[in-house]
Every structure is written in C-alpha cells, then in structure tokens.
Amino acid sequence: MSELIRVLIADDHLIVREGLRLILEAEPGFELVGEASDGAEALELAKKLHPEVVLMDLRMPRMDGLTVLRTLRERGSLVPVLILSASSERNIAEDTMAQGAAAYMLKPFDPEALRGTVAELL
C-alpha cells in the first residue's frame, strides 16, 4: 500500500480501543486518525476526519452504533463500517447489515480475522 488507510475506532471500553489500535498498528498501511468513546463523538470525528474505514462498537453511551451508522448513511457517507459486538443474536447481525454496515464481527475477535475483514472492506 502506498497510501495509509485512515481508521476511526469507536468503542466505550478503553481496553478494546487499545486492542484494536495495537492490532492495526502491527499491520503496515494503517493510520489511526481517531478514537471515540461514545457514539456522538464517533459521529463528530467521522465528519471531521473522513476515515476510510470505521471500527465501531454496537452498544455505546449517548448514541449507539446503529444510530451512528444510520446517521452516516443519511449524510451520504459510504465509509465502510465494521460493527463489533459481544452479542451473537442473529437478528442483531442482520439488522446492522440491513442498516448499511459493511461487516459484523463478534467480540472477542481474532486479530488475524479482524485484519482480514478490514482488508476485505477496502
């Protein structure tokens, strides 16, 4: 990759954000442009930083991941969004994809699987 892929991470748990950052920093070609601890902050950072991919928790304070995703799509953003969740309920995965998520991944996730999914989104 000649240009860095700009990534926004949104999760209300610091340890998850740190884990995601470490996984992506180990892979050449990624640039972490922002970290959000809630949905409202994620939406603000996405508008300001124009990431090329968003890794976002489904359940966050102030605004959940689905609301952020819907708002991004209503604003015309086509940025690929990978929704991360601890919930394995089938309808949740289907709902996120129907709302415009590019992918859905269960927590805890395998670092290789995460890197592979992000690469597929790009």
Side-chain angles (χ1 to χ4, degrees):
M1 285 182 221
S2 58
E3 293 186 27
L4 294 176
I5 303 300
R6 300 165 50 84
V7 181
L8 171 63
I9 295 172
D11 196 293
D12 56 324
H13 293 98
L14 177 61
I15 194 161
V16 174
R17 292 195 313 270
E18 288 176 349
L20 289 167
R21 181 173 10 94
L22 290 172
I23 290 168
L24 292 176
E25 285 176 347
E27 186 75 19
F30 290 99
E31 175 187 16
L32 181 62
V33 294
E35 290 185 35
S37 60
D38 63 54
E41 184 181 9
L43 195 56
E44 182 180 313
L45 287 175
K47 183 177 180 179
K48 178 179 168 186
L49 301 174
H50 308 287
E52 291 159 311
V53 65
V54 176
L55 310 182
M56 183 166 48
D57 188 18
L58 184 61
R59 307 258 187 256
M60 294 184 289
R62 293 205 302 160
M63 186 183 296
D64 67 24
L66 274 181
T67 303
V68 174
L69 180 61
R70 275 194 303 272
T71 305
L72 285 171
R73 297 301 179 245
E74 287 168 2
R75 292 180 177 176
S77 174
L78 300 176
V79 64
V81 176
L82 168 57
I83 295 287
L84 305 166
S85 177
S87 176
S88 60
E89 293 178 40
R90 198 180 107 186
N91 63 328
I92 292 177
E94 290 173 359
D95 286 349
T96 61
M97 301 300 283
Q99 298 281 340
Y104 180 89
M105 184 171 276
L106 285 173
K107 295 179 188 177
F109 41 80
D110 174 67
E112 282 302 311
L114 179 78
R115 284 192 284 267
T117 300
V118 171
E120 287 174 16
L121 297 180
L122 302 168

